Amino acid sequence: MPSGLAALLDDIAGITRLAAASLDDVGAAAGRAGTKAVGVVIDDTAVTPRYVVGLSPARELPIIGKIALGSIRNKLLILLPVALLLSAFAPWALTPLLMVGGAYLSFEGAEKAWEAISGHHAAEDAAAEATTPAELEKQKVSGAVRTDFILSAEIMAIALAEVAGTSIVAQAVALALVALAITAGVYGAVAIIVKLDDIGLHLAKRPSAAAQALGRGMVKAMPVIMTALATIGTAAMIWVGGGIIVHGLAGLGWAGPEHVIHHAAEAVAGAVPGLHGVLAWIVTAIGSGIVGLIVGGVIAVVVHKVKHRHAH
């Protein structure tokens, strides 16, 4: 009996060590996947603040909370199951689906760029149709969650590629960890960005002269920061969308655009070795942005022609 108990305890200890090792593996895989997705995370953080521009300051954090909740639903209830099913039964479909999402992002970014150039703002027209602040808020949240869906799909796809060799359970846990950590990081950063003016007002009331000066500077800088973020957010849509399309084409066997962008990035970055990483990223973003602008522009023209025909 004692020997049987000892054997049982040994088995339990072995299972415990195996479980701990598995958790370590999942945690490490989730960490690698999150690191790989950091570029899209930065773009997501740049895109989101523009959805609260022009709304009541008292509603900024609640709106960000709603967008974050929508992002969690996107990732955990839709994208995670779909990613696991595609990984198991139709891995070939992942790239085309991502490219469709990239085309949508490019289209939305191209629309915003055209609005900025032409002075005609479809979003403002839609906002004008909203009869109550609640309807306007619903429109803003809905648009942000749609955009988040595409960016989240890219994040989950990157994460899935990193954990593809693990079991289905490990993949699910790793993707869930990435989804939660990235959502918390992105929308925590967005909340801080949009409330910088309130933080500045609080500092301006402190007895310290230095704190007061810093606070006043933050308040004055906020309109510039929000305008810059809106511009960066539009650019991010275009270059992320274009990047998804470029990588997707390479995955489908047409690597020409990706090679051209890569060689251009290396050539420019090689001229200034000290800034290699920064310059390579900038040139890659510009190249992806050009592709995104072309694709998005073509889609926008087609969409507007179809709308014009239906209107007449």
Side-chain angles (χ1 to χ4, degrees), residues 48-71 133-145 187 190-191 194:
T48 305
R50 70 186 184 85
Y51 288 100
V52 298
V53 173
L55 297 178
S56 167
R59 296 301 302 161
E60 288 173 348
L61 290 183
I63 289 170
I64 291 169
K66 288 181 180 181
I67 298 170
L69 185 60
S71 178
E135 287 184 8
L136 176 59
E137 184 174 310
K138 186 177 179 181
Q139 288 177 2
K140 292 277 188 175
V141 171
S142 177
V145 171
Y187 291 100
V190 170
V194 300

Side-chain angles (χ1 to χ4, degrees), residues 247-296:
H247 294 316
L249 289 173
L252 294 176
W254 189 32
E258 187 174 62
H259 286 163
V260 169
I261 293 171
H262 175 73
H263 290 320
E266 287 299 312
V268 173
V272 188
L275 297 174
H276 185 279
V278 174
L279 290 175
W281 181 87
I282 290 173
V283 175
T284 301
I286 291 172
S288 298
I290 292 170
V291 173
L293 198 57
I294 293 170
V295 172

Side-chain angles (χ1 to χ4, degrees), residues 100-178:
V100 171
Y104 173 79
L105 268 186
S106 299
F107 160 68
E108 194 168 73
E111 283 266 85
K112 298 295 180 188
W114 172 247
E115 288 171 5
I117 294 170
S118 66
H120 176 73
H121 297 279
E124 290 179 3
D125 293 344
E129 294 174 3
T131 57
T132 66
E135 287 184 8
L136 176 59
E137 184 174 310
K138 186 177 179 181
Q139 288 177 2
K140 292 277 188 175
V141 171
S142 177
V145 171
R146 278 198 306 272
T147 299
D148 174 272
F149 185 88
I150 308 301
L151 294 169
S152 292
E154 176 73 352
I155 289 167
M156 297 297 271
I158 292 170
L160 181 63
E162 191 62 30
V163 299
T166 60
S167 69
I168 193 75
V169 174
Q171 288 181 23
V173 173
L175 290 178
L177 289 174
V178 169

